[in-house]
Amino acid sequence: MSQAVSPRELAAVRGLLTAIEADNGALPERWASAVASVPRHRFLPRVIWQRDGAGGYAPLDADTESEAWLATAYANTSIVTQVNDGQPADDGVAAFPSSSASAPSIVVLMLSMLDPQPGQQVLEIGTGTGWNAGLLAHVLGAGNVTSVEVDPVLAEQAAAVLAELTPGVTVVCGDGMLGHPNRAPYDHIMATCSLNGVSAALLAQTKAQGTILTPWSRPWCDYGLLHLTVDDHGDAQGRFHPYAVFMRARGQRVGLRLFRDVVHDDHVPAESTTNLSPWAVAGDDYDAQFALGLLLPDLWNVRHDNPDLDSVERRLWVATADGSSWAAIDDDGKQNEEFTVWQHGPRRLWDEVTAAWAWFEAHGRPSPGRFGMTVTADGTHRAWLDAPENTVAPTTGAT
């Protein structure tokens, strides 16, 4: 449903379309029409959040900074729309982003990949602001769009805007991993948050030859898109694509705090050295991080700058998702080729990381596009490289 816009808003939309085309190339006409017709700023809260330059987030209020707020609303970038799951931050603890509006170029890229046709039924996991659902409704018809949001406040806000701008979209407050069986089966399911797997419920709610598109997550790294096709038996198979970083589904976050839940004063770690740089495995190489996430499915990492230790400039922590084992790798900042390693617990995590890195290098440092995933109707996942028969086995005992 087209909405009247001011000249300033119209200029902002035109600028956004130009920016999306600069990233994605020529837009399919129907998605360009959707972006032009469904005003992004109407879906955003009056207060959004921007990085403050000190590792945290600062509010930007439309009522006091309208020009900057509107410019941000139509910038081709993601926007943090909620912090701390909507709750005040603890004293002395920086606000963390808990919901966001994805960058429009990524939104349109995913919609183009999904390629739903008018009249088809689509289930969206993660309503967020509702803008993505609004774009789908513009192309498919609002009655063909169902969206599930776990946060009741966000669900209510999105439902109100959608009811005004694209009436007929079904917004459900609930756990997206359960889908919404009342309107199943769906031709397509898409998630707008990172999932670390596709549930049996979502497979069961997808039609044969239907598709599921989701950003991918592992505790080690959030990166990539998984595009699956469901077969006549309820199994699914597809490939990864090397795009985008999304927030994790709330039920799939690693809820541990390093010094509260994992590392304790009475731990006595084993000491060793390594020639593998911690920043090779947990730096800016997303191909490496993605591959290690598949190979180390229950490990997560965090960088610790200036840890207040003699001769240590940076430290990489690695831990299991259950907090039972950890490793710390120290970097003295002198560009040495040897790093000190500390390991504690029943598993030697840095040894596992080293084995995964060796696999990555031995297989030609594969990018995400070489990987695929097979998911059976019961929710069992099996990653593979290049072809389904080449199973990628985790380098740990985890499943």
Side-chain angles (χ1 to χ4, degrees), residues 336-353:
N336 294 334
E337 294 183 358
E338 188 172 84
F339 305 86
T340 302
V341 178
W342 308 91
Q343 302 189 85
H344 177 80
R347 290 165 57 182
R348 290 297 181 252
L349 301 189
W350 190 247
D351 297 351
E352 295 180 11
V353 172

Side-chain angles (χ1 to χ4, degrees), residues 157-168:
Q157 292 172 345
V161 179
L162 287 165
E164 179 183 354
L165 300 184
T166 55

Side-chain angles (χ1 to χ4, degrees), residues 5 9 38-45 69-70 73-74 131:
V5 295
E9 293 165 356
V38 183
R40 190 186 191 213
H41 74 282
R42 293 287 299 277
F43 290 85
L44 297 176
W69 185 92
L70 186 67
Y74 283 98
W131 188 57

Side-chain angles (χ1 to χ4, degrees), residues 58-105:
L60 179 62
D61 193 325
D63 295 330
T64 58
E65 300 177 87
S66 60
E67 291 288 343
W69 185 92
L70 186 67
T72 302
Y74 283 98
N76 186 23
T77 186
S78 61
I79 299 172
V80 174
T81 55
Q82 184 198 68
V83 296
N84 305 323
D85 292 334
Q87 302 299 316
D90 296 333
D91 291 341
V93 178
F96 69 90
S98 53
S99 188
S100 68
S102 300
S105 59

Side-chain angles (χ1 to χ4, degrees), residues 93-390:
V93 178
F96 69 90
S98 53
S99 188
S100 68
S102 300
S105 59
I106 296 299
V107 170
V108 173
L109 175 66
M110 289 183 64
L111 291 170
S112 299
M113 289 177 65
L114 192 71
D115 196 28
Q117 300 302 309
Q120 289 186 329
Q121 291 283 329
V122 173
L123 173 66
E124 177 190 40
I125 307 303
T127 313
T129 66
W131 188 57
N132 194 77
L135 298 177
L136 283 166
H138 179 83
V139 170
L140 305 181
N144 296 314
V145 180
T146 302
S147 188
V148 182
E149 171 57 52
V150 69
D151 187 305
V153 174
L154 296 180
E156 182 178 0
Q157 292 172 345
V161 179
L162 287 165
E164 179 183 354
L165 300 184
T166 55
V169 175
T170 298
V171 178
V172 179
C173 182
D175 182 352
M177 299 308 98
L178 302 178
H180 186 58
N182 291 1
R183 290 177 60 85
Y186 302 97
D187 296 281
H188 305 280
I189 295 179
M190 72 178 302
T192 60
C193 53
S194 289
L195 305 185
N196 63 19
V198 177
S199 67
L202 295 181
L203 288 174
Q205 292 173 37
T206 307
K207 292 180 181 178
Q209 306 311 311
T211 68
I212 299 173
L213 177 64
T214 178
W216 185 249
S217 174
R218 277 288 191 252
W220 191 270
C221 174
D222 300 304
Y223 184 65
L225 299 172
L226 176 60
H227 200 183
L228 299 169
T229 299
V230 178
D231 66 20
D232 295 340
H233 305 289
D235 300 331
Q237 188 164 277
R239 287 188 173 273
F240 289 97
H241 301 266
Y243 309 113
V245 177
F246 284 72
M247 291 185 183
R248 294 174 183 171
R250 290 196 183 178
Q252 297 182 357
R253 295 173 182 167
V254 176
L256 300 180
R257 292 187 183 180
L258 188 66
F259 296 112
R260 182 192 69 186
D261 305 313
V262 181
V263 181
H264 301 290
D265 290 342
D266 61 347
H267 287 175
V268 181
E271 181 181 359
S272 60
T273 60
T274 181
N275 294 322
L276 175 59
S277 169
W279 318 121
V281 301
D284 295 329
D285 185 344
Y286 278 94
D287 287 357
Q289 289 216 53
F290 175 86
L292 265 62
L294 290 179
L295 292 161
L296 305 165
D298 70 332
L299 300 193
W300 55 283
N301 69 82
V302 61
R303 172 173 166 160
H304 190 178
D305 291 323
N306 302 314
D308 196 25
L309 296 168
D310 290 343
S311 302
V312 179
E313 182 176 288
R314 298 179 295 172
R315 168 176 278 185
L316 179 70
W317 291 95
V318 178
T320 53
D322 65 3
S324 64
S325 297
W326 60 263
I329 304 86
D330 290 341
D331 179 1
D332 62 9
K334 299 178 181 178
Q335 298 184 331
N336 294 334
E337 294 183 358
E338 188 172 84
F339 305 86
T340 302
V341 178
W342 308 91
Q343 302 189 85
H344 177 80
R347 290 165 57 182
R348 290 297 181 252
L349 301 189
W350 190 247
D351 297 351
E352 295 180 11
V353 172
T354 301
W357 178 259
W359 183 97
F360 176 66
E361 291 209 306
H363 288 81
R365 302 173 64 93
S367 65
R370 288 182 59 190
F371 290 94
M373 182 71 73
T374 299
V375 187
T376 57
D378 64 359
T380 300
H381 290 63
R382 182 177 60 82
W384 40 268
L385 180 69
D386 296 327
E389 58 268 24
N390 300 327

